[in-house]
Amino acid sequence: MSHPTARLDNTVHQRVRLGILTVLSEADRADFTYLRDALELSDGNLSRNLQVLEEAGYVAIEKTFEGKRPRTWVSATKSGEQALAAEVAALRELLGGVEGKRDAKAPRRGGGALRASGEAPA
Amino acid sequence: MHASETAQTLGELDRLRLQTRRRLEGLSFPLVLFGGISLVAAALSAALGEEAQGLFWTLAGPAGGIAVSLYYRRRGLDLGLSRAAWPYICTAIALLLACFVLGVLEQPWSVGPWLAVAAGYLVFGGLERSAAVIGMALTLAALAVAVGALEVTPVAVILNAAYGVAFLATGLGVRTRRDEP
């Protein structure tokens, strides 16, 4: 089995892109303004990251009009959802490996591995 | 990436996931709406007899469903965030059909429509990952079974009132939790 670092995806392995895909994995679609505010980004930063994800085929972008107001909706593609799941699994595995080594070195006391982030809710 | 950074990133993703899920929670409106409708049905059943509620629900059920779908549509546009609608629509249609079919059956299926409603809300609670709604649905199903088994009457008055109160209480409770910072 390969080391978890070998399974990290350079396109997704970046906080903003992980954040975008995380929001989109819970929702069917989110608009540009919601993503910008939820992730506390500038318009330009979000646009650049969306472009990278769209080119990789991880998100689909739809531009619509609500009355005269333009609106940009973003949704995760199947491969985007799979890339996020694989990335999070690799990160958890990496973290688990580091914590396992720490536990092995540390004196046994009540036996508790560090769980900085806890298990992800289903 | 260091272990501390990895842990921090995973923690942020969990927080973001929960925040998105909480923003998407939308069962409060349908619960409060159908809670009110159930209480009206209970009052009608008490005043005009159990048959009156059949006609009332035939009109109020689909009307409530349309109101809820319009609410979700508007809410999704206002929030800039929405879930796929089809699992909710399919569940609502199945629920209405089950209520209609079970409603025309006589004993021992007199509590059939209420069991169908409880099953429907069990599915809605699962879709929203809401422990409160799942707990409410299971409690109401147990109550309906008990009323049917013990042949407590008048069934329509008791169950419409119980469902109405449970829907309202859960709907307001879910809303309060969602509005918490």
Side-chain angles (χ1 to χ4, degrees), chain A:
Chain A
M1 194 175 182
S2 64
H3 191 270
T5 48
R7 295 200 299 276
L8 294 175
D9 178 341
N10 280 335
T11 309
V12 183
H13 188 68
Q14 201 262 9
R15 281 190 181 202
V16 171
R17 291 177 212 149
L18 277 172
I20 292 168
L21 288 173
T22 298
V23 171
L24 296 176
S25 70
E26 286 296 320
D28 182 42
R29 61 179 193 164
D31 80 348
F32 187 91
T33 310
Y34 180 86
L35 286 172
R36 184 195 62 196
D37 295 346
L39 299 167
E40 297 174 2
L41 300 170
S42 65
D43 286 359
N45 193 355
L46 178 59
S47 287
R48 276 193 298 279
N49 282 292
L50 284 177
Q51 197 182 342
V52 171
L53 289 171
E54 189 184 26
E55 283 167 4
Y58 290 162
V59 299
I61 296 175
E62 185 193 5
K63 291 182 191 293
T64 62
F65 277 90
E66 206 180 300
K68 287 184 178 174
R69 201 174 127 221
R71 203 153 184 189
T72 303
W73 290 97
V74 187
S75 56
T77 61
K78 266 274 174 271
S79 54
E81 285 174 5
Q82 286 165 355
L84 174 70
E87 184 74 12
V88 170
L91 288 175
R92 285 192 196 289
E93 204 177 317
L94 265 175
L95 189 62
V98 170
E99 286 170 358
K101 282 179 186 168
R102 271 190 206 155
D103 282 354
K105 283 181 186 172
R108 285 178 183 269
R109 209 174 44 173
L114 281 171
R115 280 272 176 252
S117 66
E119 284 300 312

Side-chain angles (χ1 to χ4, degrees), chain B residues 16-170:
Chain B
L16 202 54
R17 187 175 289 119
L18 287 174
Q19 183 194 63
T20 310
R21 204 174 282 177
R22 189 172 275 203
R23 296 243 169 101
L24 281 166
E25 278 178 2
L27 274 181
S28 171
F29 175 77
L31 282 168
V32 170
L33 176 69
F34 279 99
I37 292 175
S38 297
L39 290 178
V40 173
L44 273 176
S45 304
L48 304 172
E50 301 223 349
E51 292 74 24
Q53 66 133 8
L55 178 63
F56 174 74
W57 274 116
T58 304
L59 298 172
I66 291 167
V68 168
S69 65
L70 291 174
Y71 161 79
Y72 273 114
R73 185 176 152 69
R74 185 69 255 163
R75 187 170 175 271
L77 289 173
D78 289 346
L79 198 60
L81 191 68
S82 60
R83 275 206 178 112
W86 66 265
Y88 293 85
I89 293 170
C90 289
T91 307
I93 290 171
L95 195 161
L96 285 171
L97 287 175
C99 282
F100 180 76
V101 171
L102 293 168
V104 296
L105 298 175
E106 297 295 325
Q107 294 286 356
W109 295 100
S110 59
V111 295
W114 283 281
L115 283 174
V117 171
Y121 274 88
L122 194 61
V123 177
F124 287 137
L127 289 171
E128 297 258 332
R129 298 189 183 95
S130 169
V133 176
I134 290 171
M136 177 203 78
L138 290 173
T139 307
L140 290 175
L143 177 71
V145 169
V147 166
L150 299 171
E151 296 181 8
V152 183
T153 54
V155 174
V157 179
I158 293 167
L159 288 180
N160 273 320
Y163 274 51
V165 170
F167 285 175
L168 278 175
T170 310

